[in-house]
Amino acid sequence: MNTAPATLLRSAAELEALGRAAGARRAVVMTMGALHDGHATLIRAARAAAGPEGQVVVTVFVNPLQFGEAADLDRYPRTLDADLAVATGAGADAVFAPSADEVYPGGDPQVRITAGPMGERLEGAARPGHFDGMLTVVAKLLHLTRPDAAFFGQKDAQQLALVRRMVGDLNFGIDIVAVPTVRDPDGLALSSRNRFLSAEERGTALALPRALFAARDRLAAQQTLHARARTVPDREGRADALTRLGEARAAADTQAVALARPTVAPSAVLAAARAVLEEAAEADPPLALDYVALVDPADFTEVTDDRAGGEAVLAVAARVGATRLIDNIPLTLGALA
């Protein structure tokens, strides 16, 4: 592994001249800068995957196509010197930080990638056109960097799902690797936007991870409860068995579905998250919820109570003051037959 400072590249020609050893793997980590330990975790994962003879390229580009308002684009932090230090410390070989004119030499591109129906849900509904802009620049950067693998954070779960779909649907031939969300000790997911939160706003924002963890714990409790209920004699009804085990509240929540089918109800998982978020809406400063949803990670359609288990993502977005935050956790809604 190269221990020298990461090479700063400003143009496509410089990136092309970077080259790499024959047979060496190249891994890329795409960012908009303002790097923090979440990005460093991605870079370290890319470094490990590329191996000592491979190459890790970090892109730093604040993509104007992803911003609906010029004010949001202007407000986005730009910290290139600090980004170079973070990238170097995490094991990057090069940082590609082009200007907007370098990426879009003719101005806004006339031909773009369209995210399709998945790009119109959740974040897409809240930020129209955002995912079209994101996929367009990701496609361009993948062509420019020509990696064997690209690393993305699970925190941006819908972005990750769309990039995977684009790479698969359009035969890019690149591995898309997901890296788990990195959190501060208080549970808040790392984000460049966290710097805009006051101490009081951060306290309110902690409702996002608390809501996700409450839902995860509720799911685990329901699954344990169903498993215990299955150990009682068959002659006893499922709801009666749950009550007999001393779990009256959970029995009430699950009675209808427990008698009909042996799965954990997604609506109960969502209810646990909503309870935390509704309390935060009354805080000072308050949390303004955009959405909380339990979705299929393949296409971000809603998971409803008639689904018989499987992988899911519980996603949430909210504003605290002027700062909009997103978070999510993966869940497994296991069938309990």
Side-chain angles (χ1 to χ4, degrees), residues 70 80 106 164 197 199 285:
L80 183 57
R164 280 179 163 160
L197 296 169

Side-chain angles (χ1 to χ4, degrees), residues 80-97:
L80 183 57
D81 289 342
D83 295 343
L84 281 167
V86 171
T88 295
D93 297 291
V95 171
F96 178 48

Side-chain angles (χ1 to χ4, degrees), residues 74-221:
D74 293 340
R75 185 177 183 231
Y76 198 88
R78 291 159 173 84
T79 57
L80 183 57
D81 289 342
D83 295 343
L84 281 167
V86 171
T88 295
D93 297 291
V95 171
F96 178 48
S99 66
D101 288 340
E102 178 70 22
V103 176
Y104 305 122
D108 285 355
Q110 297 300 301
V111 176
R112 308 188 187 194
I113 300 291
T114 300
M118 193 192 334
E120 299 172 356
R121 299 169 187 140
L122 299 189
E123 282 302 290
R127 305 168 67 186
H130 168 74
F131 285 127
D132 291 356
M134 179 275 294
L135 289 178
T136 298
V137 79
V138 167
K140 185 153 191 174
L141 290 173
L142 287 175
H143 289 313
L144 287 169
T145 57
R146 302 177 187 174
D148 299 285
F151 289 71
F152 291 85
Q154 177 64 39
K155 176 179 173 290
D156 295 297
Q158 194 170 2
Q159 170 181 278
L160 171 63
L162 281 162
V163 170
R164 280 179 163 160
R165 180 57 65 92
M166 176 185 72
V167 166
D169 285 354
L170 302 183
N171 300 97
F172 274 56
I174 296 167
D175 293 331
I176 302 300
V177 182
V179 177
T181 301
V182 179
R183 299 182 181 277
D184 274 328
D186 60 8
L188 194 66
L190 296 188
S191 169
S192 59
R193 298 178 185 272
N194 291 354
R195 70 186 66 197
F196 299 128
L197 296 169
S198 68
E200 294 77 14
E201 288 171 341
R202 186 182 178 97
T204 296
L206 291 176
L208 270 69
R210 284 203 305 268
L212 298 177
F213 300 154
R216 179 195 62 191
D217 293 346
R218 184 65 171 277
L219 173 62

Side-chain angles (χ1 to χ4, degrees), residues 122-123 126-127 193 290-291 317-320 322-326:
L122 299 189
E123 282 302 290
R127 305 168 67 186
R193 298 178 185 272
D290 278 0
Y291 62 76
R319 289 185 181 274
V320 182
T323 305
R324 187 175 185 275
L325 301 171
I326 63 172

Side-chain angles (χ1 to χ4, degrees), residues 123 208-209 211-212 277 289 291-293 314-318 325-328:
E123 282 302 290
L208 270 69
L212 298 177
L277 297 168
L289 182 65
Y291 62 76
V292 57
L314 180 61
V316 61
L325 301 171
I326 63 172
D327 202 351
N328 72 86

